[in-house]
């Protein structure tokens, strides 16, 4: 365990202006707070925050970060409060500790997938201080180093998987390769110990067989470069088992085929020397085509710069070589931290306020915020497992995860079925948007509800989740069933009235057994949807009555108004799911109409003079009386069609359109056909309130000098 003075010395080593007293206070405070608590390893608990602080000194972090590391578990695991930390260590440190605590709580809450989502949310929410993430990374690294002390295998697996999927890629994204590789390897050890063991064993064999070739090759490369007048350092290194394993998996090759077990790093003084070294290597040993990459002229997103090449090197062995300056090397190992230290710190402004000028932190924030789209970010951090999902928020900040392509309706149903069922509109990021809008990552969605609302059948066409789809279907089925029930009740009453028979639920119950229905509502719904005829019900209840005949065209009652009791009410254009209009028939209020039972679908409404009705002439039992029942206080419009023959002269179409508008009607569709030189036919679809409205428009059109004839097409 790192001693107090050792920790302070390390920090002073790279930051002479560090607040020594603050670090000392935090060290002692953490020790006191954690008291006799123990780690799973049996070590005193306070060894953990101290080790975490030690890891962060490798990244040369500022005093606030080091102090935060020392205190990072005090709120969660000891009696410390924000107030106390603020008083003792200032608001900045207290805020950072609070951030780490929140991440820890997220970590502890739920199963794996949930955690990755929440983590991502937090990453975005907290990127205003990336030091929180750095402390969390170091915390995770130390926990991984001591993972084997945890008794529960399940818990070890969970932590290792999380490390592999979230923390290691995150470290990579931040350019901290050292930590990334160590995290990966520790996780690999837990997740796939057999593979790792096998790899290490084969590597040992390989190494023995080839002698100390790494050193020999490195020496030979160094000699060759110095011969060319370049001063350099050559580091030979074996790759970590996990990075080899990943390569083998990705390229589906065996260890024998893996050429890049050994990597070499050539460190030179400056950028021109990088290219000079490359030239010297390529003229000495043949390069492997397709493996050269110039990350100096085009650095990676995380700031990484180097030249990469692979050559058939000394001893005819393939060798991967990275050429870089010392500064590039430190950036590669320690991330943007090192980059910043070179750029702004040591040279010109060592006296400046360290904590305030950590510009690389801001750079990193910018990179996370703007440098990559969420998709790109997910890809880079190997969180592809979520790239087929979108993450949205309720106005209260609750995270809702949906499949890509999901709409606000899916969102509403994901929150609660009741919210989906009563959804009438939505605001996305504060703006009113259509319900079919596809949601994007990070959208805040507010659902507008009305208790009068029912799910619309049209929703089914664009929702993305099964939950929404089945809820919509369920609700439509229930609505339909209720409508069919109401309709069936009217139809049955009318049939019983016509036969001079009484009807009530008790009487109808007699038919339940014979007709195999579970209750009266079920029976009535079957009548409403046309699968059971009212005559059949009548016959079952009163078997002694003579059966009605199915024969020639029935005598439809003369005037719907007088017979309202027994007829089906048509309340509007969208009369619901049980009643619909025959296509292209355009019945209008004021016209006489009739319903035809369509088994399983309910009733289709026709104008009484529609020629199409002849089809049902022989099937009079399916005919149902129907009357309009339009609320005069809420006039509706109905579509209808006109055919106009007009003179082929300038402005005639304009006159017609203006007149229709003057009469308060809308044109919804219009098509023209030339009849001859003098006339043309216009088919106009318009919206009118009723037959009277239409008749007035037709008379007015007839009065135009440019109009020859106006008719409603025969239906
Ligand atoms: Mn911790």
């Amino acid at each position: 365990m790192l001693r107090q003075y050792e920790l302070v010395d390390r920090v002073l080593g790279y930051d002479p202006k560090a607040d020594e007293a603050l670090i000392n206070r935090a060290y002692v405070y953490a020790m006191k707070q954690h008291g006799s608590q123990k780690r799973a390893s049996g070590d005193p608990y306070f060894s953990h925050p101290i080790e975490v602080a030690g890891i962060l000194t490798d990244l040369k972090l500022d005093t606030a970060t080091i102090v935060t590391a020392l205190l990072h578990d005090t709120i969660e695991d000891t009696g410390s409060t924000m107030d106390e930390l603020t008083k003792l260590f200032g608001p900045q440190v207290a805020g950072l500790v609070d951030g780490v605590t929140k991440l820890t709580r997220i970590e502890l809450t739920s199963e794996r997938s949930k955690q990755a989502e929440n983590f991502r949310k937090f990453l975005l929410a907290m990127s205003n201080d990336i030091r929180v993430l750095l402390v969390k990374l170091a915390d995770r690294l130390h926990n991984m180093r001591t993972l084997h002390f945890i008794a529960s295998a399940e818990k070890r697996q969970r932590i290792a998987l999380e490390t592999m999927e979230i923390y290691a890629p995150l470290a990579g994204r931040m350019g901290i390769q050292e930590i990334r590789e160590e995290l990966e390897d520790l996780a690999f050890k837990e997740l796939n110990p057999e593979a790792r063991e096998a790899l290490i064993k084969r590597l040992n064999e390989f190494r023995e067989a080839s002698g100390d070739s790494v050193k020999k090759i490195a020496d030979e490369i160094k000699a060759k470069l110095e011969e060319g007048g370049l001063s350099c350092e050559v580091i030979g290194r074996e790759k970590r088992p996990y990075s080899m394993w990943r390569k083998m998996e990705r390229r589906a090759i065996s260890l024998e085929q893996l050429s890049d077990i050994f990597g070499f790093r050539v460190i030179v003084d400056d950028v021109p020397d990088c290219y000079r070294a490359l030239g010297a290597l390529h003229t000495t040993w043949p390069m492997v085509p397709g493996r050269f990459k110039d990350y100096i002229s085009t650095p990676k997103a995380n700031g990484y710069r180097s030249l990469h090449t692979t050559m058939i090197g000394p001893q005819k062995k393939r060798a991967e070589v990275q050429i870089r300056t010392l500064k590039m090397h430190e950036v590669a190992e320690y991330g943007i931290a090192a980059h910043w230290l070179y750029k702004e710190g040591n040279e010109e402004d060592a006296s400046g306020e360290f904590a305030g000028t950590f510009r690389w932190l801001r750079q990193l924030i910018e990179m996370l915020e703007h440098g990559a789209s969420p998709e790109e970010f997910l890809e880079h951090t190997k969180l592809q497992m979520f790239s087929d999902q979108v993450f949205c928020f309720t106005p209260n900040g609750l995270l809702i995860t949906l499949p890509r392509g999901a709409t606000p309706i899916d969102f509403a149903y994901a929150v609660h079925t009741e919210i989906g069922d009563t959804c009438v509109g939505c605001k996305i990021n504060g703006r009113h948007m259509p319900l079919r809008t596809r949601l994007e990552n990070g959208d805040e969605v507010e659902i507008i509800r009305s208790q009068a609302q029912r799910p619309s059948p049209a929703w089914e066409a664009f929702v993305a989740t099964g939950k929404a789809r089945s809820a919509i279907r369920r609700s439509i089925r229930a609505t339909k069933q209720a409508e069919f029930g109401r309709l069936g009740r009217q139809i049955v009453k009318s049939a019983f009235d016509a036969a001079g028979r009484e009807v009530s639920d008790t009487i109808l119950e007699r038919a339940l057994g014979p007709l195999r229905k579970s209750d009266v509502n079920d029976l009535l719904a079957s009548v409403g949807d046309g699968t059971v005829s009212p005559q059949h019900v009548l016959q079952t209840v009163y078997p002694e009555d003579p059966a009605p005949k199915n024969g020639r065209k029935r005598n439809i009652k003369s005037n719907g108004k007088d017979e309202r009791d027994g007829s089906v009410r048509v309340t509007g254009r969208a009369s619901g799911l049980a009643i619909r209009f025959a296509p292209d028939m355009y019945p209008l209020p004021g016209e006489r109409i009739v319903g035809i039972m369509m088994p399983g679908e309910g009733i289709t409404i026709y104008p009484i003079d529609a020629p199409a009705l002849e089809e049902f002439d022989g099937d009079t039992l399916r005919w149902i009386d129907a009357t309009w029942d339009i609320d005069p206080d809420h006039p509706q419009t109905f579509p209808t069609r006109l055919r106009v023959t007009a003179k082929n002269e300038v402005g005639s179409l304009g006159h017609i359109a203006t007149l229709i508008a003057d009469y308060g009607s809308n044109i919804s569709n219009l098509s023209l056909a030339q009849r001859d030189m003098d006339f043309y036919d216009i088919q106009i679809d318009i919206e009118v309130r009723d037959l009277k409205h239409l008749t007035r428009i037709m008379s007015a059109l007839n009065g135009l000098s440019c109009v020859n004839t106006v008719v409603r097409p025969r239906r």
Side-chain angles (χ1 to χ4, degrees):
M1 190 180 81
L2 209 55
R3 288 163 188 278
Q4 189 172 342
Y5 72 87
E6 288 172 326
L7 180 67
V8 171
D9 278 355
R10 279 209 212 175
V11 179
L12 289 175
Y14 60 82
D15 180 8
K17 299 274 168 193
D19 187 343
E20 205 176 325
L22 194 68
I23 298 173
N24 282 323
R25 249 196 346 267
Y27 191 103
V28 173
Y29 179 82
M31 234 167 148
K32 192 184 100 222
Q33 287 301 101
H34 288 293
S36 58
Q37 289 174 351
K38 293 257 189 291
R39 296 272 292 172
S41 60
D43 287 340
Y45 194 95
F46 58 76
S47 65
H48 164 67
I50 292 165
E51 292 301 329
V52 172
I55 290 168
L56 291 168
T57 60
D58 289 339
L59 298 179
K60 303 187 168 75
L61 282 154
D62 67 324
T63 304
T65 312
I66 302 300
V67 169
T68 300
L70 290 169
L71 303 174
H72 82 270
D73 278 331
T74 55
I75 290 187
E76 190 66 13
D77 293 340
T78 80
S80 303
T81 62
M82 273 291 281
D83 284 349
E84 196 178 340
L85 294 184
T86 310
K87 213 167 72 209
L88 292 170
F89 304 100
Q92 189 191 28
V93 166
L96 291 170
V97 174
D98 187 47
V100 179
T101 304
K102 281 177 180 153
L103 284 187
T104 306
R105 285 186 185 148
I106 284 288
E107 226 173 33
L108 294 173
T109 46
S110 48
E111 77 275 21
R112 186 169 64 77
S113 64
K114 263 269 172 47
Q115 219 161 27
E117 294 163 22
N118 282 330
F119 187 86
R120 196 173 158 278
K121 174 190 169 187
F122 259 81
L123 186 68
L124 295 173
M126 309 199 28
S127 54
N128 61 356
D129 208 318
I130 218 78
R131 287 176 291 185
V132 167
L133 283 176
L134 289 165
V135 174
K136 198 64 216 164
L137 267 184
D139 175 48
R140 176 52 62 122
L141 180 58
H142 185 246
N143 286 336
M144 285 302 292
R145 284 176 183 170
T146 53
L147 185 69
H148 56 282
F149 290 116
I150 291 175
S152 155
E154 199 194 327
K155 192 175 174 192
R156 287 199 311 268
Q157 286 272 321
R158 180 178 66 72
I159 294 172
L161 199 60
E162 201 177 83
T163 301
M164 195 64 107
E165 286 172 344
I166 295 161
Y167 291 96
L170 185 64
R173 179 66 174 164
M174 292 159 84
I176 312 165
Q177 300 311 327
E178 275 286 309
I179 291 184
R180 191 195 93 183
E181 288 183 11
E182 190 178 347
L183 284 173
E184 279 175 352
D185 207 45
L186 290 164
F188 187 44
K189 200 168 168 182
E190 179 61 41
L191 295 172
N192 206 340
E194 297 85 6
R196 186 170 176 274
E197 282 309 309
L199 256 172
I200 290 173
K201 189 162 163 273
R202 296 297 294 275
L203 261 174
N204 287 337
E205 290 167 11
F206 198 81
R207 205 181 291 124
E208 271 169 36
S210 63
D212 196 6
S213 58
V214 178
K215 180 152 187 359
K216 280 184 207 149
I217 294 171
D219 287 348
E220 208 168 319
I221 291 174
K222 186 173 163 69
K224 199 80 216 165
L225 292 176
E226 280 175 347
E227 220 172 85
L230 283 158
S231 76
C232 66
E233 197 187 328
V234 179
I235 310 160
R237 75 194 267 278
E238 204 170 81
K239 298 222 167 134
R240 299 228 190 205
Y242 179 71
S243 84
M244 281 190 284
W245 169 254
R246 195 172 44 190
K247 242 179 201 175
M248 285 163 64
E249 273 209 320
R250 204 169 45 207
R251 301 205 210 130
I253 54 176
S254 66
L255 184 60
E256 282 76 12
Q257 291 169 283
L258 193 64
S259 60
D260 313 318
I261 296 171
F262 307 116
F264 298 88
R265 282 183 186 145
V266 176
I267 314 285
V268 295
D269 291 338
D270 52 25
V271 172
D273 276 2
C274 289
Y275 291 99
R276 232 174 280 147
L278 180 75
L281 294 180
H282 279 185
T283 47
T284 313
W285 294 287
M287 71 179 281
V288 177
R291 299 294 304 274
F292 172 70
K293 289 200 182 75
D294 184 348
Y295 292 119
I296 291 180
S297 66
T298 30
K300 286 191 187 180
N302 62 14
Y304 177 87
R305 297 164 81 206
S306 274
L307 298 175
H308 287 194
T309 186
T310 303
M311 55 196 199
I312 311 293
Q315 307 178 16
K316 295 268 185 285
K317 285 206 160 58
R318 277 165 69 116
E320 192 184 81
V321 184
Q322 300 168 345
I323 306 165
R324 48 174 76 156
T325 64
L326 186 60
K327 179 180 156 187
M328 292 175 196
H329 181 63
E330 297 218 343
V331 170
E333 297 296 294
Y334 302 121
I336 298 169
H339 186 65
W340 171 80
L341 282 172
Y342 267 90
K343 216 156 142 189
E344 341 248 334
N346 299 345
E347 293 157 20
E348 42 163 310
D349 193 17
S351 62
E353 278 184 41
F354 253 69
T357 55
F358 264 59
R359 191 165 297 175
W360 67 271
L361 292 174
R362 257 170 278 138
Q363 279 183 7
L364 187 50
I365 294 155
E366 269 170 35
M367 194 175 76
L368 289 166
E369 276 180 352
H370 312 294
S373 65
E375 288 73 22
E376 228 179 305
F377 181 80
L378 286 175
E379 203 203 317
H380 280 298
T381 54
K382 299 207 175 50
L383 289 177
Q384 290 108 324
M385 58 176 190
F386 297 121
S387 64
D388 55 349
Q389 301 187 11
V390 285
F391 302 89
C392 302
F393 299 93
T394 67
N396 297 331
L398 186 72
L399 179 75
I400 304 291
T401 310
L402 295 163
R404 203 156 275 284
T407 64
I409 292 174
D410 293 293
F411 181 93
Y413 275 109
V415 176
H416 199 283
T417 307
E418 164 74 10
I419 294 179
D421 281 347
T422 54
C423 162
V424 284
C426 71
K427 282 184 183 175
I428 300 175
N429 303 322
R431 285 185 55 206
H432 278 283
M433 296 293 281
L435 284 173
R436 58 190 322 137
T437 310
R438 301 231 176 273
L439 295 174
E440 309 250 1
N441 260 328
D443 278 350
E444 186 189 295
V445 184
E446 185 185 340
I447 298 296
I448 300 157
R449 299 168 62 191
S450 157
Q451 289 305 329
Q453 175 68 5
R454 288 270 138 63
S456 154
W459 290 357
E460 222 193 299
F462 56 79
V463 294
T465 55
K467 185 175 183 194
R469 189 165 295 121
S470 65
I472 293 166
R473 282 190 191 150
R474 204 179 321 121
S475 168
I476 289 170
R477 211 161 35 233
T479 310
K480 233 181 186 171
Q481 205 62 11
E483 277 186 34
F484 281 144
R486 275 195 297 276
L487 187 60
R489 189 172 288 278
Q490 288 183 38
I491 294 169
V492 165
K493 183 170 188 320
S494 161
F496 276 57
D497 283 354
R501 285 296 194 175
E502 235 183 282
V503 64
S504 71
D505 280 13
T506 321
I507 290 166
L508 288 175
E509 274 169 16
R510 286 191 243 154
L512 296 182
L515 295 177
R516 292 203 195 102
K517 295 296 171 191
S518 54
D519 56 39
V520 172
N521 282 335
D522 191 20
L523 173 68
L524 292 173
S526 305
V527 174
D529 78 6
T531 48
V532 172
S533 77
Q535 290 77 19
H536 194 171
V537 179
L538 187 63
Q539 279 290 297
T540 312
V541 178
Y542 300 107
E544 63 276 18
D545 283 11
K549 286 195 198 75
N550 196 3
R552 289 296 308 150
K553 185 165 180 176
R554 211 158 64 121
N555 213 5
I556 291 294
K557 286 167 190 155
S558 56
N559 187 340
K561 266 183 192 153
D562 302 331
E563 305 290 340
R564 265 197 163 175
D565 276 351
S567 62
V568 167
R569 313 281 178 78
V570 179
T571 53
R573 217 168 132 173
S575 269
L577 299 157
I579 300 175
R580 67 188 73 190
F581 287 166
D584 298 328
M585 293 293 168
Y586 310 114
L588 294 176
E591 280 189 293
R592 289 187 54 212
I593 49 177
V594 68
I596 300 291
M597 289 303 305
M598 306 300 268
E601 292 171 17
I603 294 178
T604 303
I605 300 295
Y606 288 82
I608 197 112
D609 56 352
L613 282 171
E614 281 167 23
E615 192 191 323
F616 307 105
D617 268 0
D619 213 358
T620 54
L621 293 181
R622 288 172 66 188
W623 290 58
I624 303 288
D625 291 315
T627 47
W628 292 101
D629 187 11
I630 306 294
D631 179 0
D633 294 335
H634 297 95
Q636 308 173 46
T637 62
F638 294 80
T640 193
R641 180 165 288 176
L642 288 178
R643 193 158 290 145
V644 178
T645 306
K647 286 186 187 136
N648 192 1
E649 62 185 30
V650 178
S652 58
L653 192 58
H655 290 313
I656 291 167
T658 308
L659 182 140
I660 289 171
D662 286 348
Y663 275 80
S665 169
N666 280 326
I667 297 177
S668 58
N669 195 19
L670 192 145
S671 63
L672 291 176
Q674 182 87 25
R675 175 176 278 195
D676 52 42
M677 290 299 288
D678 300 326
F679 292 99
Y680 58 98
D681 287 336
I682 320 167
Q683 180 177 291
I684 312 174
D685 292 342
I686 60 173
E687 304 266 337
V688 296
R689 285 187 298 279
D690 52 23
L691 186 62
K692 212 191 267 171
H693 188 197
L694 175 69
T695 313
R696 276 167 51 220
I697 293 171
M698 287 174 72
S699 323
L701 284 172
N702 263 321
L704 286 176
S705 63
C706 63
V707 168
N708 197 35
T709 60
V710 184
V711 293
R712 272 180 98 183
R714 187 170 155 75
R715 300 162 292 184

